[in-house]
Structures are given as C-alpha cells and as structure tokens.
C-alpha cells in the first residue's frame, strides 16, 4: 500500500525548537519583506509568512513597491534594512514583475547581506552550497533556499535512503531544483535535472528511484512517467479553478508509488517553517 509522506511532525519539531530558542534569547528577531507589484499569489504567500511570525511573536515589516519603482530605490531601502539591528532577516518576494530583468533581480537579491538572506538566494550563500561548506542542516553558517532544504530534510526525516539512488528533479530553477540537486549530490545521490528543453523526458523519469517535481505545471506527471515503487515529492503549487493542485496527478500515480507527498499541505508549510528557523538562527 502506498504511503503518504507528510511534514506535520517535522514542522512541529522545527517550531518547538524555534520557540525554545526564542524563550532563551533576549534578542527578538524581525523580518523585513519586500514586495514589488501586486500579484495575488505573492500577497497570499506573504500573508502566510506574516501570520506564522505573529504566532511566534516575531515582528514583520512589509515594504510594498509598485511595478515602476526604480531598482536603485529598492536597493537603497534594503541597504538601510541591512543596518537595522532588529531586522534579522530580509526577503524579496519572487517573482518580480516582468518589467524587471534577470540582472535587476540579481542586483536586488544580492543587496541583502548574506547573514540576513534567510531565503538563501545571495551568491555567497549559493556559493557555499555549491562548495558544501557545511554539512549541518541546523545552525549552518549560511542559508540554503528554504523549499530545497525542506525537500531534503523531509527525505531525511522519513529515513528514505538516497545514497546511490537516482533522483530526477523536474524543474531546474535556482529557487528549488538547482539547490536541491546540490544538497542531494553532496549526500551521495545521483541527480538528474530536467527542464522544459529536456528531450525524451519520460525515459529519464522512468529511471528515477525518487522523482521530485518543482516545475509549476499542473498534473503534468502521470503514471506513464514513472516506474513501480517510486518515491515522489511534489513541490508544485498550481492555482486552478478546482483549487490548488500539484505537478503530479495524484490519483493516477497513487497505485504505483511507494511514497508520495500531498498537495497542498506538505512542502508549503515546511518551507515556511524552515524560513522561520533560518530567521531565528540568525539571532
């Protein structure tokens, strides 16, 4: 029988550790959030983060800019926030509006000092991940992108062996796919990153022992993509007329999988928990 992987117990443990650390500390962390534009999904994600901060007694400060705000103005505010002692973490809600180029995004993200970059997108944090500068997932000296770390720790928590396993990731973004492939590679997995240009992709996914989808394409993956007894981590959060669905057609694959994560309710809450952990670890 297939087993549904949940993050509930893991997130509970994370929040217990966070609350314990907050009780022992005289330093109260604050989180600054930069929002550019008015995307509904971005606003939803920001509200979820702020709600969790409120529950933990963490102050949040939201800075909203319109789509015509010059990059220099956004960076100037971030530079000011870098110097505020009470601000322990700064996040820039992605994606930015289409008006902003890849270069603009790079300069904005890298204006956050690495220690306060709790999302893990600064090139110093990404560079440390590439070089595997720390093997500890707790109290590491740098931050790893939260969703990538969440997927990795979920596998660890459920004691799913990755050593020597072929792990295929569908989606190669710097936010999830790329950093996750590095985490897995550093821990003995054989990883394959697929993207929109990958040819004969089903031949690749059918060879996977573990399949992780983070491509943002609703119900792209069905039973024809996978072999028997595979483990699937579905990171997709796709807003449709029928509600939120994953990248994987859950009902179609359920009879073939060994383990699978539900959407919604697994990776999303875990990502927020790890963001909170990064913030509190910055005290």
């Amino acid at each position: 029988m297939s087993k549904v992987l949940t993050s509930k117990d893991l997130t509970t443990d994370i929040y217990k550790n966070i609350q314990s650390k907050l009780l022992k500390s005289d330093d109260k962390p604050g989180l600054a959030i930069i929002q550019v534009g008015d995307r509904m999904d971005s606003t939803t994600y920001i509200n979820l983060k702020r709600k969790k901060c409120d529950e933990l007694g963490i102050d949040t400060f939201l800075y909203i800019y319109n789509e015509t705000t010059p990059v220099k103005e956004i960076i100037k505010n971030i530079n000011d926030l870098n110097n505020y002692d009470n601000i322990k973490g700064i996040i820039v809600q992605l994606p930015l509006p289409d008006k902003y180029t890849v270069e603009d995004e790079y300069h904005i993200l890298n204006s956050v000092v690495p220690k306060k970059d709790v999302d893990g997108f600064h090139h110093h944090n990404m560079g440390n991940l590439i070089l595997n500068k720390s093997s500890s997932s707790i109290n590491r000296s740098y931050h790893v992108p939260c969703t990538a770390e969440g997927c990795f720790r979920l596998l660890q928590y459920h004691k799913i062996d990755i050593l020597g396993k072929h792990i295929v990731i569908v989606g190669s973004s710097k936010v999830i796919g790329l950093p996750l492939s590095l985490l897995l590679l550093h821990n003995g997995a054989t990883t394959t990153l697929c993207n929109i240009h990958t040819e004969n992709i089903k031949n690749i996914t059918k060879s996977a022992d573990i399949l992780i989808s983070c491509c943002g394409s609703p119900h792209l993956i069905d039973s024809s993509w996978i072999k028997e007894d595979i483990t699937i981590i579905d990171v997709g959060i796709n807003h449709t007329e029928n509600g939120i669905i994953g990248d994987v057609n859950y009902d179609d694959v359920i009879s073939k999988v060994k383990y699978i994560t539900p959407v919604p309710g697994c990776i999303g809450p875990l990502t927020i928990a790890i963001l909170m952990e990064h913030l509190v670890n910055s005290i």
Side-chain angles (χ1 to χ4, degrees):
M1 180 178 290
S2 299
K3 180 179 179 182
V4 177
L5 293 177
T6 70
S7 63
K8 184 176 180 180
D9 291 341
L10 175 55
T11 55
T12 296
D13 288 348
I14 291 172
Y15 285 126
K16 284 181 180 178
N17 290 333
I18 287 172
Q19 289 167 332
S20 177
K21 186 162 187 175
L22 287 172
L23 286 172
K24 295 175 183 177
S25 176
D26 295 327
D27 197 357
K28 186 178 182 180
L31 176 66
I33 303 171
I34 307 296
Q35 181 179 9
V36 186
D38 58 357
R39 282 178 59 118
M40 185 178 298
D41 56 346
S42 291
T43 299
T44 298
Y45 298 143
I46 288 170
N47 288 341
L48 289 171
K49 294 167 187 175
R50 299 191 78 186
K51 180 181 179 182
K52 182 53 67 174
C53 284
D54 287 343
E55 291 173 2
L56 294 170
I58 294 171
D59 293 329
T60 59
F61 306 89
L62 178 60
Y63 300 86
I64 302 175
Y65 299 93
N66 61 46
E67 297 186 6
T68 62
T69 303
V71 172
K72 288 183 179 179
E73 183 177 332
I74 298 171
I75 290 177
K76 181 182 182 302
N77 185 32
I78 292 174
N79 286 334
D80 290 338
L81 294 170
N82 285 332
N83 294 317
Y84 292 163
D85 290 339
N86 64 314
I87 299 295
K88 303 301 182 184
I90 303 169
I91 63 174
V92 179
Q93 185 66 43
L94 298 178
L96 296 176
D98 292 340
K99 169 190 175 293
Y100 295 88
T101 66
V102 173
E103 286 290 317
D104 292 335
E105 179 182 296
Y106 176 85
H107 289 303
I108 290 171
L109 293 177
N110 283 280
S111 65
V112 180
V113 294
K115 184 177 181 181
K116 294 188 179 186
D117 169 39
V118 287
D119 267 335
F121 297 151
H122 192 283
H123 65 260
H124 285 175
N125 284 323
M126 292 295 284
N128 281 328
L129 172 58
I130 290 171
L131 296 173
N132 197 24
K133 294 289 286 184
S134 173
S135 59
S136 172
S137 61
I138 305 294
N139 294 323
R140 49 163 54 101
S141 59
Y142 67 95
H143 300 299
V144 172
C146 301
T147 303
E149 183 176 339
C151 292
F152 175 71
R153 287 172 62 178
L154 187 71
L155 291 168
Q156 281 188 316
Y157 186 83
H158 288 286
K159 296 181 171 57
I160 295 174
D161 185 23
I162 66 171
L163 188 65
K165 303 299 182 183
H166 185 202
I167 303 181
V168 175
I169 303 173
V170 180
S172 58
S173 76
K174 65 179 179 296
V175 177
I176 306 171
L178 179 58
L180 178 54
S181 71
L182 292 167
L183 278 174
L184 296 167
L185 185 66
H186 291 324
N187 286 272
T190 299
T191 60
T192 299
L193 268 176
C194 298
N195 57 51
I196 195 171
H197 303 295
T198 302
E199 296 181 355
N200 302 314
I201 190 170
K202 287 187 180 182
N203 291 338
I204 298 171
T205 58
K206 283 180 180 178
S207 70
D209 301 304
I210 299 172
L211 178 65
I212 302 171
S213 184
C214 48
C215 62
S217 183
H219 283 182
L220 172 69
I221 296 167
D222 59 26
S223 59
S224 68
W225 288 59
I226 62 174
K227 66 181 182 181
E228 295 281 349
D229 293 327
I230 191 174
T231 293
I232 296 180
I233 306 293
D234 190 352
V235 186
I237 299 178
N238 304 289
H239 296 264
T240 72
E241 293 179 355
N242 298 318
I244 297 174
I245 62 175
D247 293 342
V248 179
N249 188 330
Y250 185 96
D251 292 335
D252 192 59
V253 304
I254 191 68
S255 63
K256 291 182 74 173
V257 303
K258 184 176 182 180
Y259 301 107
I260 189 170
T261 60
V263 176
C266 182
I267 301 300
L270 181 55
T271 295
I272 293 176
I274 289 174
L275 175 67
M276 298 298 109
E277 182 180 69
H278 288 180
L279 178 64
V280 174
N281 283 347
S282 296
I283 296 176

